[in-house]
Amino acid sequence: MTIARTFRLMPRMAIAATIALTGVFGQSAQAQQRGVSVVRDAEIEALVRDYSAPILDAAGLGRSGIEIVLVGNNSFNAFVAGRRIFINTGALVTAQTPNEIIGVIAHEAGHIAGGHQQRLREQMSRAQTIAVIASVLGAGAAVAGSLTGSSGLGQSGMGIFAGGSEMARRSMLTYQRGEETTADRAAITYLERTGQSARGMLATFERFADDMALSGSRVDPYQLSHPMPRERIANLEELVRTSSFADRKDPSALQQRHDLMRAKIAAYTQGHQAAMRLFRDDPRGVPALYADAIGTFLAGNSRDALKKIDALVRAQPGNAYFHEMRGEILMRANQPAEAAKAPAKAMSLDKSRSGIIQVAYGNALLQTGKPDQIRKAAVEIQAGLTRAKEYAAGYRYLAQAHAQLGDIAHADLATAEGHFYSGNYKDAKIFAARAQQKMAPGTPGALRAQDIIAYRQPGRG
Ligand SMILES: [Zn+2]
């Protein structure tokens, strides 16, 4: 299952309707059936990290180990839990400029630096990523899809949750009005310190204020958790007007990376044509061509997709993610030997040293089926997973590699890890117990299996 499929199961209108019917805190059958997934993608993660790093430094949070987590959801949302800032893919694809997302990150950083929801955040800092999302959004999805999907925009985890903690959800999503003002002012300060405009943040908030005023039919979760009364917008407008960087634009290279990200998310979540339409003003531009290549790939036409990505590789040979995508297309075209060269090239170009690309490289080696490549595959996948620790799909490949090498104990442990990071704790414990029986007591594998067996979800008996 690819993420595109999941998204089709939860169209925007359905989400809006659910919220309208039950309120954002309400539980509904639809909400529980709705998939919530962590999106893992090297390109998007690197970009959002580049957006957030200067802001977090300016907020004095540069060394606090704040992580950004991408949530596969078409609505506009961003929220803080524990040491994590969660951002919906829907927000990333909606934002026309990097500055709009940077502004939202600055506002959320303002909540963290201000110590808002401190007690709740401490509780949440120990919780699993997928469990946090589930408890905040009160939604889960079938485990069946959790370990599949080898695409670049692959899901890391989807789990079934009976509902999470109502209290946690309620307080996580609601700030005091005074806290909103504090976060706004802090955000402006961080943007000033980093020489960036606050217009993007203002544009985002204004959009929500207007939407709220005009109709109740399209309500995003962010709007509900961040009330935008007119007076708040007016205060912000005044602050932006007096800023020395109000008219500063994002660097054009950053804008292009932003557009490439939008092209990718749109191709996966909205379809080929919708992704192309995003760039109708510049149909021969690189983002439009990227949307076209990915859309063609997702439609199952690997041959044409390969031609299209090759053209992009020729245009920007230094773009790691074009090589990564080329590898995915070749994998789909059943050319794993050729495919392995592409992520290897991507790894050499990727400044963020993403473990996700290394896992893709290992998987390509694995799929060659050659005995000498399988051992190498296990090493590469394992190394990738040490840097992309919660990348559930990666553990499925690791399990395959161990199984093919005849190491069933570590195959079971890898399967347990995959279920664990998908939030499927029941199956995680079953496989961890199987692995443990086959391992010598006290070995690292046996200890990890024991951790999984002993894991208790925070807030659950
Ligand atoms: Zn806020």
Side-chain angles (χ1 to χ4, degrees), residues 156-232:
S156 184
M158 293 166 65
I160 286 185
F161 293 88
S165 152
E166 183 67 22
M167 268 299 288
R169 191 159 58 249
R170 189 179 292 275
S171 44
M172 184 94 61
L173 290 175
T174 316
Y175 289 106
Q176 312 287 335
R177 184 174 287 201
E179 291 178 333
E180 290 300 350
T181 307
T182 309
D184 284 344
R185 289 187 173 273
I188 300 262
T189 309
Y190 310 150
L191 291 164
E192 286 284 316
R193 280 183 196 156
T194 54
Q196 300 182 91
S197 171
R199 280 204 198 284
M201 180 172 75
L202 180 62
T204 297
F205 290 176
E206 275 178 332
R207 193 167 64 236
F208 286 138
D210 290 338
D211 277 4
M212 201 63 139
L214 287 172
S215 83
S217 66
R218 234 201 67 192
V219 181
D220 281 303
Y222 197 74
Q223 211 165 340
L224 294 166
S225 57
H226 292 77
M228 310 283 172
R230 270 281 142 212
E231 123 195 61
R232 183 177 161 204

Side-chain angles (χ1 to χ4, degrees), residues 8 61 79 82 103 152-153 244 281 283 313 339 389 391 410 414 429 433 441 454 457-458:
R8 272 184 217 114
L61 296 166
F79 57 92
L153 202 64
S244 24
D281 292 345
V313 167
K389 195 163 155 265
Y391 182 30
H410 282 91
K429 286 167 195 275
Q457 281 184 72

Side-chain angles (χ1 to χ4, degrees), residues 105-311:
I105 292 170
H107 177 89
E108 295 305 312
H111 281 309
I112 300 178
H116 308 159
Q117 305 290 3
Q118 189 68 37
R119 218 170 62 103
L120 184 72
R121 265 214 300 284
E122 278 162 15
Q123 287 167 9
M124 280 293 171
S125 67
R126 292 188 299 275
Q128 279 275 299
T129 302
I130 189 77
V132 172
I133 296 178
S135 71
V136 172
L137 302 182
V143 166
S146 65
L147 294 180
T148 63
S150 61
S151 72
L153 202 64
Q155 295 155 7
S156 184
M158 293 166 65
I160 286 185
F161 293 88
S165 152
E166 183 67 22
M167 268 299 288
R169 191 159 58 249
R170 189 179 292 275
S171 44
M172 184 94 61
L173 290 175
T174 316
Y175 289 106
Q176 312 287 335
R177 184 174 287 201
E179 291 178 333
E180 290 300 350
T181 307
T182 309
D184 284 344
R185 289 187 173 273
I188 300 262
T189 309
Y190 310 150
L191 291 164
E192 286 284 316
R193 280 183 196 156
T194 54
Q196 300 182 91
S197 171
R199 280 204 198 284
M201 180 172 75
L202 180 62
T204 297
F205 290 176
E206 275 178 332
R207 193 167 64 236
F208 286 138
D210 290 338
D211 277 4
M212 201 63 139
L214 287 172
S215 83
S217 66
R218 234 201 67 192
V219 181
D220 281 303
Y222 197 74
Q223 211 165 340
L224 294 166
S225 57
H226 292 77
M228 310 283 172
R230 270 281 142 212
E231 123 195 61
R232 183 177 161 204
I233 302 284
N235 285 340
L236 261 182
E237 276 166 355
E238 181 58 24
L239 287 168
V240 171
R241 209 175 50 75
T242 53
S243 156
S244 24
F245 304 108
D247 296 320
R248 183 165 288 187
K249 295 267 176 285
D250 296 305
S252 62
L254 200 67
Q255 180 68 51
Q256 179 164 92
R257 287 175 68 195
H258 186 80
D259 287 337
L260 291 172
M261 169 186 71
R262 293 178 77 209
K264 182 185 263 181
I265 295 173
Y268 274 92
T269 64
Q270 299 169 12
H272 194 173
Q273 295 313 316
M276 298 282 291
R277 270 198 303 278
L278 274 183
F279 306 101
R280 68 188 144 216
D281 292 345
D282 187 13
R284 302 306 304 160
V286 173
L289 298 178
Y290 196 38
D292 188 24
I294 299 172
T296 305
F297 163 63
L298 294 174
N301 188 344
S302 304
R303 225 166 120 90
D304 283 355
L306 193 59
K307 281 184 204 150
K308 290 173 182 178
I309 200 75
D310 281 345

Side-chain angles (χ1 to χ4, degrees), residues 372-388:
D372 60 317
Q373 299 288 291
I374 295 171
R375 194 164 295 280
K376 190 167 182 232
V379 172
E380 295 290 343
I381 296 168
Q382 185 77 67
L385 287 171
T386 56
R387 277 180 283 120

Side-chain angles (χ1 to χ4, degrees), residues 333-401:
N334 263 325
Q335 300 180 42
E338 185 63 22
K341 292 177 192 161
K345 181 75 185 168
M347 277 162 66
S348 72
L349 293 168
D350 172 33
K351 289 188 204 78
S352 75
R353 295 186 66 245
S354 172
I356 295 166
I357 300 178
Q358 193 167 8
V359 168
Y361 174 53
N363 184 39
L365 295 175
L366 179 64
Q367 304 309 327
T368 63
K370 294 181 185 151
D372 60 317
Q373 299 288 291
I374 295 171
R375 194 164 295 280
K376 190 167 182 232
V379 172
E380 295 290 343
I381 296 168
Q382 185 77 67
L385 287 171
T386 56
R387 277 180 283 120
K389 195 163 155 265
E390 299 189 0
Y391 182 30
Y395 290 98
R396 188 179 62 138
Y397 308 137
L398 186 62
Q400 270 179 30

